[in-house]
């Protein structure tokens, strides 16, 4: 579930409000978006991908709330890690071109 | 008259083709209609580009070059798994169309990898990249997109021909109406809010809307797909579990348990005790390939601090319902028309029995079907719209939504939406009900589901509850078509496992058509008939 909107990183672009498939966030004037309907979060990680400044963290636990510590997440490199893995963001190239599914399916036969 | 929405539409549009749903099927439909010169509006419950199950998950695609042997093998490989309900004629068409369309994706700039022989490899699509591209592409083609705007009900003219839809923007609460000459339903399947990856927008809304306009379902007994995920997580991606060992808590392997074959054993064990997995059969080399193939598979592990190759972790099976099942709205001919004039269906919203019979399991057919049926439905909706002419958007229309809009009784009570949702989930989630079906179990469930339907029909809701209430009623309706069809199929075929009839019965090699809202009905339809209709339709066109 979504656990963090980092107030220090967020640039209040409201992209996450717009793109979350299940409408979890609410816009707040002059402030970072609020996690308004947390229990609707389907843990799809899409908001993380679209946040331009890695201000969001979606914890892997889908049915439970967890508490997170922003500094610790940043230290472990978990803020924006999915974005980095798929090569989204400025000066990165999509890693879709490195998709090695063919190697894996070869082993299936 | 207790209808909820006003008639002062905050957004009131006219178009040639309205596409409801912006996943792969909807975006392909919108693109193909627009490239035939049609004016197209696409509405989505979420944000077209991030919502639906393909965007969040990614897809292997049934992409097979047009070499006779390869095509033959592709068709033959899944026929028995699907219980011989698929149609070769449809498989051929889908293989052809998918090949062409996926090549288009490459032209549009999708960054396909090259294999170790340096040839482009086009059998796998990374979800976020794919759907971002589709959004850009339909915008370029001139499609008007309304995001965060779930459709709630269809509009029909006085002869019952579909003429558009209405809905609401869930962020502004603005009510919208789109009058259209033709409508494509591409709202995906129904996973009953199970939180399987990307699936919570998929609540069967399209089935309900179509049924209210008079459409029929097909194959709803094949609706019990479950995906393996780490017990704590949403990520129901199953390919890599082919290299897993499934164990009890003490680490001893569960005999016979497996991802492709042996999933039932996992479910049976889960009924009694936790099940663990460890992906220990992947070689060192493969491990890095896996990370490059599906980054999102590893996300929950990395964040939970688990190395899935060396550490065992608890797993569960989450219901994916008709998302990876094969049932959906019945298609009557090669144009992807439904039995209601002006209404087309595509992707998971439409039956997929035509190409995979009663079983899909690990995908690739699904993505291919979304691409192809999307393409055809958009094309035919555009052609049909041309035959009507723009003036037809001036026809008298009425809204056909019933549940949550028009209670059956004079004194409706308030709908306890969340309770209804939990009650439906209690009938469809448990493996012992939905995966291991028995006559008694199905009858018991149907008793409660019929009662829930009455609740839903005799209730009203506040405007702000409307979207959830429609979702809840769509789930109840879907569960009733599922279990009534399951009751009728007195055999075990495809993913439908009937404990009282454990064998496949040659006399039941037919489709089960279902429909109805207050009165649900099921009837069988011989396979040959569908095949002939199709061949007839193709040679006539
Ligand atoms: C984890 C996972 C992995 C998968 N892997 C594979 C694979 O490897 N290969 C494969 O072939 N298939 C796979 N599938 C299945 C495949 O993703 C689907 O078959 C395919 O995405 C269907 O496309 P669609 O457009 O019909 O539906 P979706 O992609 O689900 O899109 C439906 C759209 O309709 C919208 N919508 C719903 N209700 C409304 C409403 N009332 N009003 C407006 N819009 C609405 C939704 O927001 C969504 O955008 C997988 C599925 C899952 C869940
Ligand atoms: S997308 Fe990121 S930066 Fe933009 S509002 Fe959301 S959290 Fe803030
Ligand atoms: S993980 Fe998905 S559902 Fe949850 S807040 Fe982010 S985008 Fe929304």
């Amino acid at each position: 579930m979504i656990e963090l909107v980092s107030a220090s990183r967020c640039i209040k672009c409201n992209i996450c409000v717009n793109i979350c498939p299940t409408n979890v966030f609410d816009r707040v004037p002059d402030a970072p978006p609020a996690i308004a309907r947390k229990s609707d979060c389907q843990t799809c990680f899409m908001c993380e991908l679209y946040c331009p400044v890695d201000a969001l963290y979606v914890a892997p636990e889908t049915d439970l709330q967890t508490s997170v510590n922003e500094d610790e997440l940043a230290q472990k490199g978990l803020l924006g890690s999915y974005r980095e893995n798929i090569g989204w963001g400025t000066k990165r190239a999509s890693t879709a071109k490195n998709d090695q599914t063919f190697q894996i399916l070869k082993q299936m036969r | 008259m207790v209808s909820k929405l006003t008639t002062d539409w905050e957004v009131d549009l006219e178009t040639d083709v309205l596409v409801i749903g912006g996943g792969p099927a909807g975006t392909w439909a919108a693109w193909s209609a627009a490239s035939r010169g049609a004016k197209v509006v696409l509405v989505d419950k979420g944000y077209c580009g991030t919502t639906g199950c393909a965007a969040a998950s990614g897809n292997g695609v049934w992409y097979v070059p047009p070499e006779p042997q390869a095509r033959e093998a592709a068709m033959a490989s899944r026929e028995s798994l699907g219980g011989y309900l698929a149609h070769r004629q449809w498989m051929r068409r889908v293989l052809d169309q998918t090949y062409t369309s996926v090549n288009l994706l490459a032209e549009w700039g999708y960054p396909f990898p090259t294999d170790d022989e340096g040839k482009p490899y086009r059998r796998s699509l990374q979800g976020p990249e794919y759907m971002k591209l589709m959004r850009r592409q339909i915008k370029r083609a001139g499609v008007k997109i309304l995001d965060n705007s779930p459709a709630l009900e269809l509009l029909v003219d006085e002869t019952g021909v579909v003429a558009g839809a209405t809905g609401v923007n869930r962020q502004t609460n603005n009510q919208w109406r789109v009058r259209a000459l033709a409508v494509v339903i591409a709202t995906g399947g129904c996973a009953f809010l199970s939180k399987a990856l990307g699936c919570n927008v998929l609540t069967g809304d399209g089935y309900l809307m179509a049924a209210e306009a008079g459409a029929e379902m097909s194959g709803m007994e094949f609706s019990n797909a479950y995906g393996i995920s780490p017990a704590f997580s949403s990520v129901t991606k199953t390919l890599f579990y082919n290299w897993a060992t499934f164990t009890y808590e003490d680490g001893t392997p569960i005999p016979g348990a497996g991802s492709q074959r042996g999933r039932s054993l996992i479910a049976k064990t889960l009924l009694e005790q936790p099940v663990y997995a460890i992906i220990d059969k992947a070689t060192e080399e493969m491990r890095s390939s896996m990370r490059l193939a599906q980054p999102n598979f590893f996300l929950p592990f990395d964040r939970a601090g688990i190395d899935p190759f060396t550490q065992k972790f608890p797993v569960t099976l989450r219901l994916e319902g008709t998302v990876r099942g094969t049932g959906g709205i019945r298609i009557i001919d090669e144009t992807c028309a439904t039995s209601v004039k002006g209404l087309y269906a595509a992707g998971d919203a439409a039956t997929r029995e035509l190409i995979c019979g009663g079983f899909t399991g690990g995908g690739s057919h699904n993505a291919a079907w979304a691409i192809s049926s999307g393409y055809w439905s958009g094309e035919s909706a555009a052609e049909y719209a041309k035959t009507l002419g723009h003036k037809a958007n001036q026809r008298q229309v009425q809204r056909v939504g019933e549940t949550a809009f028009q209670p059956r009784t004079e004194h409706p009570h308030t709908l306890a939406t969340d309770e209804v949702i939990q009650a439906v989930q209690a009938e469809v989630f448990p493996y012992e009900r939905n995966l291991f079906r028995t006559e008694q179990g199905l009858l018991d469930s149907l008793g409660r589901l019929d009662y829930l339907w009455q609740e839903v029909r005799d209730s009203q809701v506040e405007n702000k509850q409307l979207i959830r209430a429609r979702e809840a009623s769509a789930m109840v309706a879907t569960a009733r078509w599922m279990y009534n069809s399951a009751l009728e199929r007195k055999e075990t075929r495809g993913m439908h496992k009937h404990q009282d009839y454990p064998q496949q019965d040659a006399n039941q090699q037919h489709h089960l058509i279902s429909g109805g809202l207050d009165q649900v009905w099921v009837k069988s339809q011989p396979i040959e008939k569908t095949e002939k209709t199709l061949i007839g339709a193709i040679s006539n066109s």
Side-chain angles (χ1 to χ4, degrees):
Chain A
M1 268 195 258
I2 177 79
E3 294 293 354
L4 175 74
V5 181
S6 161
S8 59
R9 294 181 179 224
C10 176
I11 53 167
K12 308 178 190 102
C13 65
N14 286 321
I15 291 177
C16 54
V17 181
N18 213 15
I19 68 90
C20 169
T22 56
N23 199 30
V24 164
F25 304 97
D26 269 348
R27 237 168 259 267
V28 182
D30 305 316
I35 301 173
R37 285 160 296 273
K38 186 167 182 173
S39 61
D40 285 348
C41 172
Q42 58 171 353
T43 318
C44 65
F45 305 99
M46 295 301 306
C47 52
E48 272 194 34
L49 290 183
Y50 277 76
C51 174
V53 292
D54 301 336
L56 296 169
Y57 181 73
V58 180
E61 290 81 9
T62 298
D63 306 305
L64 298 175
Q65 296 203 31
T66 48
S67 64
V68 298
N69 176 311
E70 184 177 340
D71 294 335
E72 214 173 284
L73 293 173
Q75 227 162 36
K76 287 189 183 155
L78 289 179
L79 291 183
S81 66
Y82 185 27
R83 230 164 138 246
E84 187 181 348
N85 283 340
I86 73 159
W88 276 25
T90 41
K91 296 195 188 138
R92 290 189 185 135
S94 166
T95 59
K97 67 175 185 350
N98 306 333
D99 182 345
Q100 297 219 344
T101 301
F102 61 92
Q103 295 287 15
I104 292 155
L105 294 186
K106 252 199 294 194
Q107 309 292 324
M108 293 257 295
R109 286 190 211 113
Chain B
M1 187 61 217
V2 245
S3 200
K4 292 303 260 190
L5 295 176
T6 63
T7 42
D8 294 330
W9 307 100
E10 278 121 335
V11 176
D12 197 357
L13 304 171
E14 274 178 31
T15 190
D16 296 335
V17 175
L18 168 66
V19 178
I20 305 179
T27 47
W28 277 104
W31 182 81
S32 102
S35 39
R36 256 168 199 73
K39 196 170 152 191
V40 183
V41 174
L42 181 147
V43 297
D44 198 290
K45 183 189 279 187
Y47 176 86
C48 169
T50 64
T51 179
C53 57
S57 65
N59 284 169
V61 194
W62 209 33
Y63 174 89
V64 185
E67 294 149 13
Q69 265 184 328
R71 287 280 170 94
E72 179 58 34
M75 289 193 286
S77 69
R78 297 293 278 273
E79 276 180 322
S80 80
L81 260 183
Y84 302 98
L85 294 180
H87 299 254
R88 284 232 158 180
Q89 186 68 25
W90 275 98
M91 291 195 217
R92 278 185 211 104
R93 298 181 72 208
V94 166
L95 284 165
D96 284 341
Q97 188 59 52
T98 304
Y99 187 73
T100 309
S101 296
V102 171
N103 288 343
L104 258 177
L105 285 176
E107 273 176 42
W108 293 342
Y110 183 89
F112 283 108
T114 43
D115 65 15
D116 37 11
E117 289 161 29
K119 287 197 292 228
Y121 184 82
R122 297 184 179 164
R123 286 187 195 186
S124 171
L125 291 164
Q126 190 203 72
E129 195 71 33
Y130 174 28
M131 292 314 298
K132 190 174 75 174
L133 176 65
M134 288 308 292
R135 180 183 178 97
R136 191 178 76 205
Q137 222 46 45
I138 65 172
K139 286 192 97 165
R140 279 193 183 154
V143 173
K144 183 177 175 64
I145 302 173
L146 305 183
D147 294 309
N148 290 307
S149 300
L152 294 175
E153 58 177 332
L154 292 177
L155 298 168
V156 303
D157 71 10
E158 57 271 270
T159 61
V161 173
V162 171
T166 74
V168 63
N169 181 309
R170 61 185 191 177
Q171 297 186 332
T172 60
N173 291 320
N174 283 347
Q175 295 167 11
W176 58 260
R177 173 173 76 169
V178 178
R179 278 175 294 167
L181 304 174
V183 175
V184 178
I185 298 238
T187 46
C190 180
F192 298 94
L193 298 173
S194 71
K195 295 203 172 175
L197 191 56
C199 289
N200 267 27
V201 284
L202 311 172
T203 44
D205 309 2
Y207 304 152
L208 176 64
M209 287 188 274
E212 285 169 338
E216 303 165 333
M217 308 296 135
S218 180
M220 291 305 284
E221 67 278 30
F222 306 121
S223 48
N224 50 347
Y226 286 84
I228 303 174
S229 76
F232 55 87
S233 144
S234 63
V235 179
T236 45
K237 304 199 77 176
T238 51
L239 177 65
F240 297 163
Y241 291 100
N242 278 307
W243 289 271
T245 306
F246 293 92
T247 75
Y248 300 107
E249 188 157 18
D250 66 6
T252 42
I254 303 169
S259 163
Q260 281 206 318
R261 281 159 232 270
R263 211 175 281 193
S264 294
L265 253 163
I266 299 175
K268 283 222 168 83
T269 315
L270 277 170
L271 289 174
E272 325 235 291
Q273 56 182 299
V275 172
Y276 291 78
I278 175 166
I279 308 182
D280 55 358
K281 294 181 199 152
T283 60
E284 200 61 48
E285 244 183 316
M286 265 191 69
R287 296 177 186 186
S288 60
S289 297
M290 284 174 163
R291 281 200 176 262
L292 291 170
Q294 297 188 5
N296 57 359
F297 179 85
F298 294 95
L299 204 56
F301 297 115
D302 292 346
R303 294 189 173 184
I306 297 170
D307 175 0
F309 298 120
T310 60
Q311 282 172 289
K312 73 179 195 323
F313 55 90
V315 291
T316 192
L317 293 168
R318 276 184 198 273
L319 183 63
E320 293 177 333
T322 60
V323 171
R324 284 204 257 201
T326 69
I329 300 167
R330 184 165 84 94
I331 297 290
I332 61 158
D333 63 25
E334 94 286 4
T335 68
C336 291
T338 70
S339 54
V340 179
K341 215 163 180 205
L343 186 66
Y344 298 79
D348 291 0
T351 181
R352 243 168 318 173
E353 291 167 292
L354 299 167
I355 62 157
C356 39
F359 188 92
T360 67
S364 75
H365 292 68
N366 305 339
W369 174 248
I371 292 171
S372 316
S373 62
Y375 180 87
W376 295 321
S377 61
E379 174 183 54
S380 21
E383 293 303 325
Y384 169 77
K386 270 187 207 154
T387 66
L388 293 186
H390 298 289
K391 277 211 300 277
N393 265 334
Q394 298 311 315
R395 55 197 157 155
Q396 282 288 336
V397 293
Q398 71 181 70
R399 289 138 61 185
V400 290
E402 293 180 8
T403 59
F405 293 115
Q406 302 177 35
R408 267 185 317 204
T409 131
E410 291 270 315
H411 305 288
H413 44 270
T414 308
L415 185 67
T417 312
D418 291 344
E419 281 159 40
V420 170
I421 290 172
Q422 278 166 19
V424 187
Q425 290 175 333
E427 303 307 328
V428 296
F429 282 178
Y431 315 133
E432 65 270 37
R433 292 206 160 268
N434 198 0
L435 190 54
F436 309 116
R437 294 164 165 180
T438 63
E439 195 133 322
Q440 195 55 53
L442 291 168
L443 284 169
D444 289 349
S445 280
L446 277 170
R448 290 186 289 266
L449 289 166
D450 289 346
Y451 173 80
L452 281 177
W453 181 255
Q454 286 183 19
E455 276 291 295
V456 163
R457 284 301 280 121
D458 296 340
S459 309
Q460 62 185 2
V461 294
E462 299 193 12
N463 262 343
K464 65 178 192 325
Q465 277 288 319
L466 211 47
I467 298 173
R468 257 295 137 86
R470 288 292 286 173
E471 292 180 338
S473 27
M475 288 193 278
V476 182
T478 304
R480 290 168 78 229
W481 294 315
M482 275 162 55
Y483 281 1
N484 277 292
S485 301
L487 207 52
E488 202 57 37
R489 191 172 282 289
K490 300 185 193 311
E491 61 163 349
T492 289
R493 186 187 293 268
M495 63 174 65
H496 168 67
K497 293 185 177 34
H498 201 313
Q499 306 297 291
D500 302 336
Y501 305 96
Q503 302 301 325
Q504 187 162 304
D505 171 8
N507 293 320
Q508 296 182 54
Q509 193 180 340
H510 48 227
H511 296 301
L512 289 179
I513 311 299
S514 57
L517 292 160
D518 292 335
Q519 280 307 320
V520 170
W521 53 265
V522 180
K523 62 179 190 221
S524 66
Q525 184 199 37
I527 290 213
E528 300 73 33
K529 207 173 143 219
T530 331
E531 188 87 336
K532 268 197 212 110
T533 328
L534 174 71
I535 293 166
I538 285 175
S539 58
N540 291 341
S541 66

